[in-house]
Amino acid sequence: MTSLLDRWPYRRPVLWAVLGALALAIVGVAVVAMAGGTSPVASSSPTPTDGDDKALPTPIPVQTVEPGPSPSEPVPVPPVDDDLISGAVEATDGSLTVRLVSLRPITITAWAPREVGGPGLAVTIVVTNGSSEEVDLAMDVAVHTTTRTGVSADLDGHNSPFETETLAPGQSAERTIAFACPNAAGTPVAVMVFWGPSVFSLQATVR
């Protein structure tokens, strides 16, 4: 009976090279199996974008900075179809009273792709339910200056939402919203609060 070496049609060094390659392949399979079946092939998951590896912002304690006096010339605001209720730092429609308690210059950090970083304002309002029934605190807030409409920065750490969704008669609630906009001392600002059929316009300046 002839052996494999006798029947091998090529030179024997080639045979040894083939056998060595087979042995290495077997050892590699065994190592992969012992490692839990994972292969050192590169992952096909997408590479994180520049903004994906940022941790969510840490909440920033709200510091009260009282707004300056009402500007000598009111800040123009976009026309609205609802009832416009104007005031300096406080306005009421008989059911809800909105007061501007803080207008704090801040630096906005852009966390989301469409957010704008740079100078901004942390606007703090306090609403009080002056009616005899519970009211819904769902409302929108906007900021206007004489040169620019503020861009809300929803993920900025200065934001502090209402702690409740409704407000009982006689109770008050506070909310802080961050906006990217001019914040130099003396900048005239109009804070617009949209609640139900009412629109509150509070005019003040940045200290």
Side-chain angles (χ1 to χ4, degrees), residues 2 11 19 27 46 60 70-71 84 87 93 97 100 111 121 126 131 142 147 175 182:
T2 59
R11 289 182 299 175
L19 293 176
V27 171
I60 300 173
S70 179
L84 182 63
D93 64 354
T97 298
L100 177 63
W111 295 91
L121 291 171
V126 170
S131 71
T147 59
R175 176 186 177 189

Side-chain angles (χ1 to χ4, degrees), residues 105-128:
I106 59 173
T107 299
I108 296 289
T109 299
W111 295 91
R114 295 183 180 179
E115 289 189 341
V116 179
L121 291 171
V123 178
T124 302
I125 59 172
V126 170
V127 298
T128 302

